[in-house]
Amino acid sequence: MSVRLSRRSALFATAGAALPAVSWAQDAANDDAALAEAVDAYLRQCLAAWPDQPALSVAVVKDGRPILTRGYGVKAMDRPGAADERTLFAVASNTKAVTCAALAILVDEGKVKWDAPVRDWLPGFSLSKPELNDLVTVRDLVSHRIGFGLGAGDLLFWPNSDRTRAEIMAAVPHVPIEDQFRTRYHYCNLMFVAAGEVVAAASGMPWERFVQTRILDRLGMADTLPVMRGADPAKCALPHGRVGPPLRYQGPMTRIADSVQEVWDWSEAGAAGGFLTNAVDWSKWMAVQLAAGALPDGTRLFSEAQSREMWRPNVIVSNSNGPTPDLPGRAVTATYASGWQIMDYRGERMITHGGGSPGGISGTVLLPGRRVGFSYFSNAEESFLLRALRSGIADVIMGPTRLGPAFDWIADSKRLEAEGNARSLTAAAEIDAKQAAGAPPSLPQPAYAGTWRDPWYGDVKITARDVQLWLEFTRSPALKGPLEPYDGETFRTRFPDKREEDVFVTFELENGRPVRATMKAVSPDADFSYDYHDLKLTRV
């Protein structure tokens, strides 16, 4: 398990810490201009606390209209160009709610049913547990409850892959399912790709065209792109991160790509996380959500009944005894609905989702009881900043008299960040020390060379180059590099592309010959989408 705030935590942060009480927060509850000023002031406090953050963007919607859409900082730390309210950010898994809205529109039209089998639209749909093939419904696809492990199958498109959407779907029957059906929550991007294919089959057009014509065009989201392929880098907040040493997410902040799509091209997995959008456009999306599908002109994007369906909890994510002085935002019950996370926050209903990509984190929060929503987009991977933004802005909106004693989310998040960094540095030192003391492999290195095949990923090749082995994930261009002895039959990579996570490869011998291999990420901080651990390799 990661010793830092993981991307899963960024996608579903139910606990945290924020803003000291100040006089304007109470006024903000009754005055739109004061609320906008309060949120702006808090954003500036966050930027002061995380001075390496290149850009942020925020939108606040109240009573159906935007009261704040603003950009802060620069689109790239080493290039001219200020971020503004129309700067495009990759918002990753915030896309999932749009995919569910597409399904809701089709349900309204009688072309899809939430609780009908997926095979009604995708006859070839099958899973590694065949007994589930006729049971999985459209609702299951978007609820993270089928039983796949966290991030299962993500290596099909993370990091950038050369696979087509059809090839991704062809791999689905081989991706392992580790848990029982409909019993527990496990975040799964792969099934949202399948949900996008249901949209395509029911509508007769690809997911991205349906979303463009039936959602973006109707809402007037003119700048938003459903997939990032072809996006103009000059209009985008470029990705930033820390690539070491010693590990990913450590070291100085740096720009990690010349375009969003260089490190985050989920065009083929767009239904799970393809969107590029900005504060102006996303405010329109939040407004229609808070209006239960109603548009300003009196028409509807989707029915009120479908709004209720998308916000209806489908699986429990976590439960607890509720808030404590150290965790004032902790939910009694956190659930996942359809493309949205539903929880209690300080006694109120919160509808939320996050998104994490290489070089960016984002979040959307709706407080329907107040008819208020807000979003925040970043072009770096500072996950503790996201924690402070999510809960801190919510607290600004609620005001100190509603909350009781003030909590400083910024200070608490900086404390947790420092503790996590210290543990990460210790873990990195231990990894290196174990390699220095490790036993040599039992065979000459060329004996481990060959083609190694996994049923769902495909081929991983190991070749002997002079005195060193070289590993290559054949469908993931960035995952290639030297493979060096670590300890006995375990080897490790040092990928030249430092944006990617290194991997341990452990070989199993039979009759003095390597015949099988397993993998896992080297770093305890590795993003869960590097699901190396799901690979079961056999020698071809």
Side-chain angles (χ1 to χ4, degrees):
M1 181 178 291
S2 172
V3 297
R4 296 175 56 82
L5 186 70
S6 67
R7 188 164 70 101
R8 179 179 180 179
S9 298
L11 293 170
F12 200 99
T14 61
L19 180 70
V22 289
S23 60
W24 42 251
Q26 177 59 32
D27 294 336
N30 303 305
D31 182 85
D32 292 354
L35 176 56
E37 181 184 348
V39 173
D40 174 77
Y42 183 69
L43 262 290
R44 295 180 190 279
Q45 290 182 43
C46 287
L47 285 169
W50 279 271
D52 290 345
Q53 175 67 39
L56 286 177
S57 182
V58 64
V60 181
V61 172
K62 185 172 183 286
D63 295 325
R65 66 183 188 86
I67 63 171
L68 177 66
T69 55
R70 188 165 295 169
Y72 305 78
V74 293
K75 290 182 283 188
M77 61 185 297
D78 57 346
R79 298 179 181 180
D84 61 24
E85 71 277 9
R86 293 195 177 274
T87 298
L88 293 171
F89 289 77
V91 298
S93 287
N94 285 283
T95 307
K96 289 179 169 64
V98 184
T99 295
C100 290
L103 290 167
I105 292 168
L106 292 166
V107 173
D108 278 335
E109 295 175 351
K111 297 178 180 178
V112 169
K113 295 180 180 179
W114 290 112
D115 296 309
V118 173
R119 282 190 159 191
D120 286 358
W121 295 273
L122 304 178
F125 180 80
S126 60
L127 299 171
S128 59
K129 288 186 175 181
E131 64 271 23
L132 301 182
N133 291 347
D134 293 321
L135 299 179
V136 173
T137 65
V138 174
R139 190 186 304 275
D140 291 322
L141 294 181
V142 295
S143 300
H144 306 302
R145 66 182 189 181
I146 292 174
F148 290 97
L150 174 63
D154 280 3
L155 279 175
L156 294 168
F157 38 83
W158 169 303
N160 287 350
S161 170
D162 61 3
R163 282 183 173 86
T164 65
R165 199 167 294 170
E167 288 176 312
I168 293 170
M169 291 300 298
V172 168
H174 308 290
V175 178
I177 296 175
E178 68 177 33
D179 206 348
Q180 298 300 307
F181 185 48
R182 294 181 185 160
T183 58
R184 278 175 287 272
Y185 166 89
H186 301 281
Y187 198 84
C188 182
N189 290 300
L190 184 61
M191 288 299 95
F192 269 84
V193 179
E197 292 302 274
V198 172
V199 171
S203 68
M205 65 181 80
W207 168 85
E208 55 267 43
R209 186 149 63 91
F210 184 91
V211 167
Q212 181 68 57
T213 57
R214 300 296 304 277
I215 297 178
L216 300 181
D217 291 349
R218 288 203 65 198
L219 292 179
M221 296 173 66
D223 296 331
T224 299
L225 301 174
V227 295
M228 65 288 295
R229 190 169 295 158
D232 182 356
K235 297 179 180 179
C236 299
L238 298 185
H240 294 72
R242 304 179 190 274
V243 297
L247 296 173
R248 189 73 166 82
Y249 308 112
Q250 296 291 324
M253 181 70 73
T254 184
R255 180 174 55 79
I256 62 172
D258 292 323
S259 66
V260 172
Q261 54 268 38
E262 181 183 333
V263 290
W264 182 255
D265 188 351
W266 272 28
S267 296
E268 298 302 318
F275 262 42
L276 285 175
T277 192
N278 59 33
V280 171
D281 278 7
W282 204 246
S283 68
K284 300 173 184 178
W285 169 247
M286 290 190 290
V288 77
Q289 286 289 325
L290 289 166
L295 297 174
D297 64 3
T299 63
R300 283 193 160 271
L301 188 66
F302 46 80
S303 67
E304 188 173 355
Q306 293 314 311
S307 175
R308 290 194 297 270
E309 283 296 314
M310 287 185 282
W311 288 3
R312 189 182 87 176
N314 294 324
V315 64
I316 294 173
V317 175
S318 66
N319 63 89
S320 75
N321 291 327
T324 68
D326 292 334
L327 298 170
R330 188 170 66 169
V332 174
T333 305
T335 68
Y336 200 92
S338 298
W340 288 103
Q341 301 145 348
I342 317 296
M343 70 187 77
D344 57 282
Y345 180 83
R346 297 190 181 274
E348 298 190 26
R349 190 185 193 202
M350 176 180 278
I351 316 295
T352 184
H353 211 288
S357 63
I361 309 178
S362 58
T364 304
V365 177
L366 307 176
L367 299 169
R370 295 173 178 266
R371 292 181 56 82
V372 175
F374 64 91
S375 62
Y376 41 89
F377 308 145
S378 83
N379 63 336
E381 301 160 340
E382 305 291 76
S383 55
F384 290 95
L385 168 58
L386 176 132
R387 178 181 185 267
L389 288 169
R390 175 189 173 277
S391 296
I393 297 174
D395 285 4
V396 169
I397 290 168
M398 291 180 174
T401 58
R402 171 67 180 82
L403 303 175
F407 192 85
D408 190 339
W409 292 102
I410 294 175
D412 194 66
S413 295
K414 292 299 291 185
R415 175 185 63 83
L416 292 174
E417 182 179 65
E419 292 173 358
N421 285 339
R423 289 192 295 268
S424 294
L425 292 172
T426 298
E430 291 172 352
I431 291 167
D432 289 342
K434 186 172 181 180
Q435 182 169 11
S442 61
L443 301 173
Q445 291 192 43
Y448 300 90
T451 298
W452 299 81
R453 183 166 296 161
D454 174 82
W456 62 269
Y457 178 84
D459 289 352
V460 176
K461 292 184 178 180
I462 300 175
T463 55
R465 293 188 175 185
D466 299 324
V467 295
Q468 189 173 45
L469 295 175
W470 184 266
L471 180 142
E472 177 182 354
F473 284 73
T474 58
R475 306 305 300 271
S476 311
L479 298 182
K480 58 181 66 175
L483 189 65
E484 60 190 40
Y486 184 77
D487 185 21
E489 304 312 314
T490 297
F491 290 67
R492 66 155 294 173
T493 64
R494 294 189 190 272
F495 290 130
D497 190 338
K498 298 302 181 185
R499 300 171 298 191
E500 308 302 343
E501 291 285 2
D502 286 314
V503 60
F504 285 126
V505 185
T506 300
F507 296 94
E508 181 182 341
L509 307 185
E510 280 187 4
N511 301 318
R513 182 175 181 269
V515 293
R516 285 176 289 276
T518 56
M519 292 184 167
K520 71 174 185 177
V522 170
S523 172
D525 292 342
D527 191 283
F528 65 74
S529 285
Y530 291 95
D531 58 323
Y532 299 131
H533 50 276
D534 287 327
L535 300 175
K536 301 295 183 288
L537 297 159
T538 56
R539 194 170 196 159
V540 177

